[in-house]
Amino acid sequence: YVLVPREAEIVKRGFAERGLLFRESRVGGYVVLDHVRPEFEPGPELDLTAVEVSAPFRQDWARFLIDRDIGTRWGSGTPQRPGMTLGFRFPQPVTVSEIELMYGFFKTDAPRDLVIEGGDSSGNSCQLFDSAGARLWEELGARWPIFIKPIEVSELKLVQLGKDPVFDWSLSELKLYFAVQQEN
């Protein structure tokens, strides 16, 4: 990335929030950010077959979120609006370093503004990701790899904060990965 200094500050903040490392150098009046990589390399994929999925909209389709078939999907059946949620409860706590959201053939149905929260077995929760108005459905397309600092969670909650007058909110697959720390 070749950026002016003010742009670089915004991009660097975004990288840090998403758990990405990078190299920074200056060339003339520009800031160059390269060698972008996750701080924690995703390890093995977690088995989600025993996960309890809750979807206030179209609960009958919730099983498609973890069926390992990119051609199926959960969909809200109604246009996106703030407050829509998807919940995932694990039978025992898991440590996660990457959350991968896959939209398959339905990338236009990706959330317009998404927050992901993690909760522990004591009922405490924290925000793991906030798209903060970024147009990720345009930037990332059909696959969103979200890198986070490893955290132990008993549940995840995806909260739609955006809206769209036409497109539903849908998701083809959710994948989670363990963490393997990288060398700086």
Side-chain angles (χ1 to χ4, degrees):
Y1 298 86
V2 179
L3 308 160
V4 296
R6 289 184 68 192
E7 290 173 325
E9 291 307 313
I10 294 168
V11 172
K12 287 173 11 182
R13 252 191 330 270
F15 285 167
E17 289 170 1
R18 289 172 175 80
L20 298 172
L21 300 174
F22 55 89
R23 183 177 68 177
E24 179 178 351
S25 55
R26 296 200 178 263
V27 177
Y30 295 97
V31 176
V32 177
L33 305 177
D34 61 0
H35 295 280
V36 179
R37 66 202 182 282
E39 181 177 358
F40 294 89
E41 188 66 32
E45 183 179 343
L46 289 162
D47 180 7
L48 299 179
T49 54
V51 170
E52 178 186 325
V53 181
S54 62
F57 299 90
R58 304 298 304 255
Q59 180 64 38
D60 55 326
W61 286 12
R63 69 184 186 283
F64 297 134
L65 291 165
I66 56 173
D67 69 352
R68 296 180 179 257
D69 181 353
I70 198 70
T72 62
R73 69 174 171 148
W74 165 85
S76 62
T78 184
Q80 297 181 34
R81 65 177 184 266
M84 292 176 149
T85 61
L86 286 173
F88 301 87
R89 176 166 279 133
F90 308 104
Q92 58 191 19
V94 295
T95 301
V96 177
S97 70
E98 181 186 354
I99 302 165
E100 183 177 26
L101 305 176
M102 301 179 78
Y103 295 96
F105 306 111
F106 312 100
K107 66 182 182 178
T108 56
D109 291 356
R112 298 308 186 250
D113 197 357
L114 180 69
V115 168
I116 300 176
E117 301 170 351
D120 65 19
S121 55
S122 301
N124 300 315
S125 67
C126 66
Q127 186 172 293
L128 305 177
F129 173 78
D130 183 350
S131 65
R135 300 175 67 87
L136 295 180
W137 72 95
E138 293 175 350
E139 295 170 23
L140 297 178
R143 179 180 172 270
W144 294 13
I146 300 168
F147 302 100
I148 58 175
K149 292 189 177 174
I151 185 168
E152 185 177 273
V153 295
S154 295
E155 60 185 7
L156 288 177
K157 184 176 178 183
L158 282 62
V159 182
Q160 163 69 273
L161 297 178
K163 63 182 177 179
D164 191 287
V166 176
F167 292 104
D168 293 7
W169 178 25
S170 70
L171 181 61
S172 293
E173 288 294 311
L174 170 87
K175 293 184 177 188
L176 303 175
Y177 298 87
F178 287 107
V180 178
Q181 189 157 10
Q182 290 232 49
E183 297 290 322
N184 285 332

